[in-house]
């Protein structure tokens, strides 16, 4: 491992949506289709959430999203809609939907060549994350991904804590890379350095502080 400007970093943990990939151009359509299908079958939903209501939820844990959108539905029915969204979303990504940020492949390859362990810390589900990485051609560079399982891991902070435990690392050896408050919060909870993606989905003033920031993915090469 060569030296880097942030010290003894050994692992780079990426958020996905807003950091490596943007589902913004396809996410609303997939939600609407899944909700309309459920409504047609059950008659239980009489009005669709608005575009802003859906987009404001994106990035949160999946069960939180659907609990906020459909608080009156039983969890099992919310999970049915959620599962359909996941299927539609993965199909859309494989078909070329969504947008990869410039430099995903070259940056991940660079980090792997430098000897870093590469992981994800995302609120997304495993199938979604792996579809994004596989479509980008970089899945093989990532360690087995830890995801929220609603059992032992409920938050992004607990994902990072699991990497600390699993790889027997000091928290300061894991760099968290992301664009939203949940990424910053996960890093803060674990004592991990945080890299702020200014190009992602964050809003002005959302990130309280950071160890460094960058305007595109290839800038990581200047730090690692």
């Amino acid at each position: 491992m060569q030296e880097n400007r942030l010290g003894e970093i050994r692992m780079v943990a990426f958020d996905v949506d807003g950091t490596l990939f943007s589902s913004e151009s396809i996410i609303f359509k997939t939600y609407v289709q899944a909700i309309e299908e459920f409504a047609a079958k059950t008659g239980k939903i009489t009005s669709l959430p608005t575009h802003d209501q859906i987009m404001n939820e994106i990035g949160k844990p999946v069960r939180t999203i659907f609990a906020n959108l459909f608080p009156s539905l039983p969890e099992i029915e919310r999970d049915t809609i959620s599962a359909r969204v996941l299927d539609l979303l993965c199909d859309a990504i494989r078909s070329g939907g969504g947008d990869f940020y410039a430099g995903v492949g070259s940056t991940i390859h660079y980090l792997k060549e430098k000897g870093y362990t590469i992981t994800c810390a995302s609120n997304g589900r495993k199938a979604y994350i792996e579809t994004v990485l596989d479509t980008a051609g970089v899945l093989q560079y990532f360690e087995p991904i830890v995801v929220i399982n609603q059992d032992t891991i409920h938050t992004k902070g607990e994902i990072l804590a699991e990497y600390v435990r699993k790889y027997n690392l000091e928290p300061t050896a894991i760099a968290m890379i992301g664009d939203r408050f949940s990424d910053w919060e996960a890093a803060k909870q674990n004592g991990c350095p945080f890299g702020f993606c200014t190009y992602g989905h964050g809003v002005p003033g959302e990130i309280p502080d950071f160890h460094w920031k960058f305007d595109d993915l290839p800038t990581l090469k200047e730090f690692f």
Side-chain angles (χ1 to χ4, degrees), residues 2-151:
Q2 299 183 31
E3 290 294 322
N4 56 70
R5 296 182 189 179
L6 294 183
E8 296 302 316
I9 291 174
R10 296 289 177 263
M11 174 180 286
V12 183
F14 286 97
D15 173 49
V16 176
D17 221 326
T19 302
L20 301 177
F21 176 77
S22 175
S23 63
E24 197 166 8
S25 64
I26 57 174
I27 194 74
F28 180 68
K29 180 180 179 181
T30 61
Y31 269 69
V32 168
Q33 182 175 338
I35 294 165
E36 287 181 336
E37 288 176 0
F38 177 84
K41 289 178 181 178
T42 66
K44 289 194 172 185
I45 298 174
T46 56
S47 62
L48 291 173
T50 66
H51 179 273
D52 286 347
Q53 285 174 323
I54 290 174
M55 296 309 297
N56 287 341
E57 295 297 322
I58 302 306
K60 298 176 184 177
V62 172
R63 284 192 169 169
T64 300
I65 293 175
F66 284 91
N68 290 342
L69 291 176
F70 304 108
S72 63
L73 286 180
E75 185 172 85
I76 190 170
E77 293 185 338
R78 295 198 297 258
D79 287 348
T80 297
I81 304 172
S82 173
R84 181 60 176 150
V85 168
L86 179 61
D87 288 342
L88 292 169
L89 194 55
C90 289
D91 287 345
I93 294 167
R94 293 187 196 100
S95 299
D99 301 284
F100 288 95
Y101 291 109
V104 171
S106 61
T107 302
I108 297 301
H109 184 264
Y110 169 87
L111 293 173
K112 191 66 175 180
E113 288 292 301
K114 294 279 285 187
Y116 293 98
T117 300
I118 305 173
T119 58
C120 283
S122 168
N123 283 329
R125 285 167 285 186
K126 187 174 183 180
Y128 169 74
I129 296 169
E130 291 188 345
T131 297
V132 169
L133 300 179
D134 188 44
T135 304
V138 297
L139 180 59
Q140 68 270 26
Y141 298 130
F142 283 75
E143 294 297 306
I145 296 163
V146 175
V147 297
I148 292 172
N149 59 20
Q150 304 299 341
D151 180 19

Side-chain angles (χ1 to χ4, degrees), residues 150-178:
Q150 304 299 341
D151 180 19
T152 57
I153 298 175
H154 304 85
T155 67
K156 198 173 291 189
E158 290 176 355
I159 292 174
L160 285 183
E162 177 63 13
Y163 287 134
V164 168
R165 185 201 66 77
K166 182 178 178 181
Y167 291 89
N168 194 29
L169 292 170
E170 293 294 327
T172 52
I174 302 177
M176 177 70 210
I177 311 296

